[in-house]
Amino acid sequence: MTTPGRGLHGRVLDALGPAITAGDYPPGSVLRTDELAQRFDVSRSVMREAVRVLESMHLVESRRRVGVTVRPRAEWNVYDPQVIRWRLAGADRPHQLRSLTVLRSAIEPVAAGLAAQHATAEQCAELTECALGMVANSRGHRLEGYLFHDVAFHRVILTASGNEMFARLGDVVAEVLTGRTQHEVMFHDPDPAAVTLHVQLAEAVREGDAERAERLTREVTAGALKELDILAP
């Protein structure tokens, strides 16, 4: 499905991006824009716009008299939400989920400890509201509703940390949580223990207990890794 609002170049991206990240075009592969324009039945200007987007993600590079070359994976912008989405949609999903969850386990506990020290009254209220929303959607196969509150909860934690670098990881965390749900790498109902941990985490932040907030978040991410061992080994 073409990403809404991106027109013809979006259609090209939705085909080329997943193909590159899935390895259909290995690093070093040369893509000819004229051939691609013909293949996708688009103009050269549309094709160039799509290539510019792929270049911004460091997936490809354009060189005169050579063409568009696929870059090594080590050079990709792996924090780009669209790159994450494409990788989660392909065969690389288990590795990508694990890599992102390990990243979360390193970052989010520290962010939660800082949030307990710096969160505003409004942010504490929002955390509590999100946690209650997770509880309300934790039964009856209501994963989309649960996801909405789960993503919002973790965005607040990262933002409330007061660290702008942590806050910018909100989109990354949102992608891994969304991908886990959309690709059914979750149980039909969330783990009750995980739901309870989020409620307790909201309380710890509200009470200013940084040590408890950090510990609870480590338990949350450890539980997510255990789920991957079962659902995406």
Side-chain angles (χ1 to χ4, degrees), residues 78-178:
V78 294
Y79 289 103
D80 187 293
Q82 183 66 75
V83 173
I84 293 172
R85 203 171 306 141
W86 286 336
R87 295 180 72 184
L88 287 176
D92 194 35
R93 184 182 307 136
H95 176 267
Q96 176 75 155
L97 282 171
R98 186 167 299 278
S99 177
L100 290 166
T101 306
V102 169
L103 174 68
R104 290 183 60 202
S105 70
I107 297 297
E108 287 197 75
V110 178
L114 290 171
Q117 300 174 50
H118 302 299
T120 65
E122 291 78 10
Q123 288 169 329
C124 289
E126 189 175 354
L127 269 184
T128 299
E129 183 180 348
C130 292
L132 293 176
M134 293 171 71
V135 172
N137 288 274
S138 62
R139 287 291 175 268
H141 299 185
R142 301 167 66 182
L143 288 181
E144 288 298 326
Y146 183 87
L147 173 65
F148 174 82
H149 295 287
D150 194 15
V151 168
F153 183 98
H154 289 279
R155 282 191 185 278
V156 175
I157 288 288
L158 291 166
T159 302
S161 71
N163 183 296
E164 61 184 8
M165 304 300 287
F166 287 173
R168 287 298 299 273
L169 291 174
D171 288 343
V172 173
V173 173
E175 287 299 334
V176 66
L177 293 175
T178 301

